[in-house]
C-alpha cells in the first residue's frame, strides 16, 4: 500500500550470551580448526563440557520474536511494556542501529531517531557543529539545516552554550538539543525512546506538543517509547504492547493501556509475620473517580484494603515509591505524624491523601510496609506498578521540591477506617 510508512514482517532479534570469541585471531582460528576436525574446543574452561545440542539453545536470548505490524504515514504509535520487554531493541532494529536476526523491515522516508542521550553527537564538537553533523547523518543538505538552525537552538534553549563542546553539557541539555535536532529536521519518520524522562516537566510537555504538531501538520510518522501512560494516551492514537519480546497487542491506545496497567504477571515478594495483610490498592482523584494512572503535582487519594487476623497494637503503615532503577524516592510512613493504630481482627481501609504528588512523570513501583514496634508484620516488594504523568491542569512552573533519586518529604495525611461487617 502507498500509505504504509513502516512494514515489519516476522521480525526477530537474538543475542548470544557469554563470550563470543577468544580475544585473539590466532585462538579463534585454532578453535575453528578444532571444530572442523570434530575435536574438543581447546579453550574450554576447566570442568566445562562441549554440548553442542543443548548449549546453543541455552546461550541465546530472543529479545524480539516473530513481530509483524504496519504503520501508516503520519500516524503516532506508542510502544509500551515492562522493563526488558524489547521496546528499545525494537526501535534500534527499526533505526538500523542493529540488524534483525530474522524478518524483514520496509520503510518509506528518512528516519530520525533519539534512542539514548546524545545519540549521534560527537562529544568534542560544539552544539553548533553537532547540529550540522547530525543533520548530515540524517541525509540533510547544509542549506536545509541552516534554514532550521535558529528554530532548533531556540527550542532547545541552549543559545548561550551553542559554541561549547557538548561533552560539557548536562544530560538535560544533551536531551534538549538532541530532541530539537531530531524533531525539526526534515525527516519523515521519528523514533523517540524514554530519553525524555531526563528533561524537566516543562520540557517534557514542550516535546509532547512538538511531536503532536509535526505529526498532524507535517504528516511525520512517530514511534514513541514511554512508561508514562498519560503521555502515550495524549499523543498516540495506537499503541503496541510488548511482552517478553513478543507483540501482545496492537490496537487503539485506550484499549492497550488498560491491558498494560492490569498486567499482574510479576508476583509480589512478601515477607513478615503475616498477622496483617494488604490485599489491594485503589487510586482516586479528589472527586472520588478511579484512576488508571496518577497526575504529577495534583491531589490524589491512595486507598489500601487491609485485613487483620489477630489483635495487634502500635501498628504503623508505609507506602514507598521506587523508581525504575529500584531507588527509593519517597516514603509515606504513618508514624511520620506520630500516628499508630491498635487493630482488632477485621477488614480496614487505609486512605492516604496527598495534596500535591511531587513526583516527576515516569513509572514507579510501590512497596508496602506494616510494622509494630519495629517488628515487620508484612512487607510487599513490587506491590503495584503505577505510572505518573502530566495533564493540562499541571502547573507550568514547579515550585514544590521533587526528586528522582533521593528520599524526600511528601506532605500527606492518613486515615484508617474499619469496614462494616
Amino acid at each position: 500500500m502507498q500509505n504504509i510508512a513502516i512494514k515489519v514482517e516476522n521480525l526477530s532479534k537474538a543475542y548470544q550470551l557469554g563470550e563470543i570469541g577468544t580475544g585473539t585471531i590466532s585462538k579463534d582460528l585454532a578453535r575453528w580448526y578444532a571444530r572442523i576436525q570434530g575435536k574438543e574446543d581447546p579453550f574450554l574452561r576447566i570442568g566445562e563440557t562441549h554440548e553442542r545440542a543443548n548449549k546453543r539453545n541455552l546461550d541465546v536470548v530472543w529479545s524480539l520474536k516473530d513481530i509483524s505490524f504496519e504503520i501508516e504515514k503520519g500516524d503516532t504509535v506508542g510502544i509500551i511494556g515492562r522493563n526488558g520487554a524489547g521496546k528499545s531493541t525494537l526501535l534500534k532494529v527499526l533505526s538500523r542501529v542493529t540488524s534483525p536476526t530474522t524478518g524483514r523491515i520496509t520503510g518509506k522516508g528518512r528516519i530520525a531517531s533519539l534512542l539514548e542521550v546524545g545519540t549521534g553527537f560527537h562529544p568534542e564538537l560544539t552544539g553548533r557543529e553537532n547540529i550540522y553533523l547530525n543533520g548530515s547523518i540524517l541525509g540533510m543538505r547544509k542549506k536545509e539545516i541552516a534554514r532550521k538552525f535558529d528554530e532548533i537552538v531556540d527550542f532547545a534553549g541552549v543559545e548561550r552554550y551553542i559554541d561549547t563542546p557538548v561533552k560539557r553539557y548536562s544530560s538535560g541539555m544533551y536531551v534538549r538539543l538532541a530532541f530539537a535536532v531530531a524533531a525539526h529536521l526534515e525527516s519523515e519518520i521519528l523514533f523517540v525512546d524514554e530519553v525524555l524522562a531526563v528533561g524537566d516537566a516543562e520540557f517534557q510537555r514542550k516535546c509532547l506538543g512538538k511531536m503532536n504538531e509535526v505529526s498532524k501538520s507535517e504528516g511525520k510518522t512517530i514511534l514513541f517509547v514511554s512508561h508514562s501512560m498519560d503521555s502515550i494516551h495524549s499523543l498516540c492514537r495506537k499503541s503496541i504492547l510488548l511482552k517478553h519480546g513478543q507483540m501482545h497487542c496492537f490496537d487503539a491506545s485506550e484499549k492497550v493501556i488498560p491491558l498494560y496497567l492490569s498486567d499482574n504477571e510479576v508476583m509480589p515478594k512478601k515477607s513478615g509475620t503475616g498477622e496483617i495483610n494488604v490485599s489491594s490498592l485503589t487510586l482516586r482523584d479528589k472527586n472520588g473517580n478511579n484512576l488508571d494512572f496518577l497526575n504529577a503535582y495534583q491531589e490524589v487519594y491512595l486507598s489500601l484494603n487491609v485485613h487483620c487476623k489477630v489483635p495487634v497494637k502500635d501498628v504503623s503503615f508505609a507506602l514507598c515509591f521506587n523508581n525504575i532503577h529500584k531507588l527509593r524516592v519517597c516514603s509515606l510512613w504513618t508514624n511520620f505524624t506520630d500516628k499508630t493504630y491498635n487493630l482488632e481482627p477485621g477488614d480496614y481501609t487505609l486512605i492516604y491523601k496527598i495534596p500535591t504528588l511531587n513526583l516527576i512523570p515516569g513509572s514507579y513501583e510501590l512497596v508496602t510496609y506494616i510494622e509494630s514496634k519495629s517488628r515487620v508484620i508484612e512487607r510487599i516488594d513490587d506491590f503495584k506498578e503505577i505510572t505518573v504523568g502530566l495533564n493540562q491542569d499541571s502547573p507550568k512552573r514547579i515550585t514544590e521540591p521533587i526528586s528522582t533519586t533521593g528520599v524526600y518529604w511528601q506532605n500527606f495525611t492518613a486515615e484508617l477506617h474499619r469496614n462494616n461487617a
Side-chain angles (χ1 to χ4, degrees):
M1 293 177 62
Q2 295 295 323
N3 203 36
I4 299 300
I6 303 171
K7 184 176 181 180
V8 174
E9 301 173 89
N10 303 317
L11 181 67
S12 297
K13 178 62 180 179
Y15 286 101
Q16 180 78 35
L17 298 181
E19 297 181 62
I20 306 301
T22 61
T24 65
I25 295 177
S26 60
K27 290 182 179 179
D28 283 345
L29 289 173
R31 172 178 282 177
W32 169 79
Y33 188 64
R35 186 168 63 247
I36 64 173
Q37 288 184 314
K39 295 181 179 180
E40 196 69 54
D41 185 346
F43 301 105
L44 286 178
R45 293 173 181 171
I46 296 174
E48 191 176 30
T49 58
H50 189 63
E51 300 177 44
R52 288 201 185 108
N54 298 325
K55 196 171 185 296
R56 184 173 300 165
N57 292 331
L58 294 174
D59 282 352
V60 173
V61 171
W62 291 91
S63 294
L64 299 171
K65 189 69 174 175
D66 296 328
I67 292 179
S68 300
F69 58 83
E70 293 182 352
I71 297 177
E72 296 180 358
K73 292 181 180 178
D75 216 347
T76 306
V77 178
I79 303 176
I80 59 179
R82 293 183 178 274
N83 294 329
K87 306 184 296 296
S88 296
T89 302
L90 177 59
L91 285 195
K92 287 178 180 177
V93 173
L94 294 178
S95 302
R96 305 295 199 271
V97 172
T98 184
S99 58
T101 304
T102 61
R104 182 183 178 191
I105 304 168
T106 305
K108 295 182 180 179
R110 289 184 288 194
I111 295 174
S113 59
L114 187 56
L115 305 181
E116 296 177 4
V117 175
T119 299
F121 279 16
H122 193 294
E124 298 294 337
L125 300 181
T126 66
R128 181 186 304 274
E129 292 166 334
N130 270 298
I131 291 175
Y132 281 93
L133 173 64
N134 219 333
S136 300
I137 291 173
L138 296 175
M140 308 298 166
R141 295 181 179 178
K142 188 176 181 179
K143 289 183 179 179
E144 293 179 281
I145 303 169
R147 189 170 64 249
K148 294 276 188 176
F149 183 85
D150 290 340
E151 191 176 349
I152 291 170
V153 175
D154 181 64
F155 186 91
V158 294
E159 297 94 336
R160 185 179 180 183
Y161 311 99
I162 195 64
D163 291 310
T164 300
V166 297
K167 67 180 180 180
R168 299 193 177 99
Y169 284 18
S170 68
S171 58
M173 292 167 63
Y174 241 117
V175 167
R176 291 202 300 272
L177 186 58
F179 179 84
V181 172
H184 285 82
L185 293 182
E186 297 171 1
S187 60
E188 287 79 30
I189 301 172
L190 175 62
F191 297 145
V192 182
D193 206 340
E194 188 65 39
V195 291
L196 295 186
V198 177
D200 56 32
E202 188 173 354
F203 182 71
Q204 289 182 39
R205 188 187 292 106
K206 191 176 180 181
C207 290
L208 292 174
K210 182 62 179 179
M211 286 192 286
N212 196 28
E213 176 191 330
V214 298
S215 174
K216 292 180 178 178
S217 63
E218 301 176 18
K220 188 173 293 189
T221 305
I222 299 175
L223 266 69
F224 180 46
V225 170
S226 179
H227 281 104
S228 171
M229 295 303 102
D230 189 40
S231 299
I232 292 288
H233 187 269
S234 62
L235 178 67
C236 304
R237 188 173 65 90
K238 293 181 178 180
S239 291
I240 296 172
L241 175 58
L242 295 179
K243 280 188 179 182
H244 307 301
Q246 295 182 312
M247 191 171 73
H248 181 70
C249 183
F250 182 22
D251 208 333
S253 293
E254 57 264 26
K255 295 181 180 179
V256 179
I257 290 174
L259 292 177
Y260 167 71
L261 295 173
S262 63
D263 184 9
N264 295 316
E265 64 182 44
V266 176
M267 296 299 293
K269 303 171 185 177
K270 287 190 177 186
S271 59
T273 63
E275 298 160 284
I276 305 174
N277 300 124
V278 176
S279 58
S280 62
L281 171 70
T282 304
L283 313 177
R284 292 189 175 93
D285 62 16
K286 61 183 179 181
N287 298 318
N289 301 315
N290 288 345
L291 302 173
D292 291 326
F293 49 82
L294 302 179
N295 282 311
Y297 322 114
Q298 303 295 304
E299 183 177 274
V300 296
Y301 293 80
L302 286 72
S303 299
L304 288 170
N305 292 325
V306 178
H307 177 69
C308 182
K309 300 176 182 178
V310 296
V312 186
K313 292 184 178 181
D314 298 322
V315 177
S316 61
F317 298 87
L319 266 181
C320 303
F321 292 77
N322 293 347
N323 64 16
I324 59 174
H325 304 295
K326 303 292 185 181
L327 297 175
R328 184 69 41 82
V329 298
C330 179
S331 296
L332 309 179
W333 281 97
T334 58
N335 58 10
F336 284 173
T337 55
D338 298 323
K339 182 177 288 188
T340 59
Y341 305 93
N342 297 327
L343 272 62
E344 295 295 326
D347 294 318
Y348 297 81
T349 301
L350 177 65
I351 302 175
Y352 282 92
K353 176 186 176 182
I354 304 176
T356 304
L357 183 66
N358 298 324
L359 292 174
I360 69 168
S363 182
Y364 296 88
E365 290 178 347
L366 286 181
V367 178
T368 64
Y369 288 91
I370 304 175
E371 289 189 356
S372 175
K373 298 178 180 178
S374 300
R375 178 169 57 94
V376 178
I377 296 175
E378 182 173 72
R379 169 177 173 165
I380 308 178
D381 294 311
D382 301 325
F383 177 66
K384 185 178 180 68
E385 182 177 320
I386 65 169
T387 299
V388 175
L390 293 171
N391 67 4
Q392 58 185 2
D393 298 323
S394 299
K396 292 184 178 180
R397 299 186 68 86
I398 307 306
T399 57
E400 296 290 337
I402 62 174
S403 174
T404 55
T405 58
V407 180
Y408 71 101
W409 174 258
Q410 166 74 67
N411 187 26
F412 74 96
T413 57
E415 296 180 359
L416 184 68
H417 303 283
R418 181 162 186 173
N419 300 339
N420 295 329

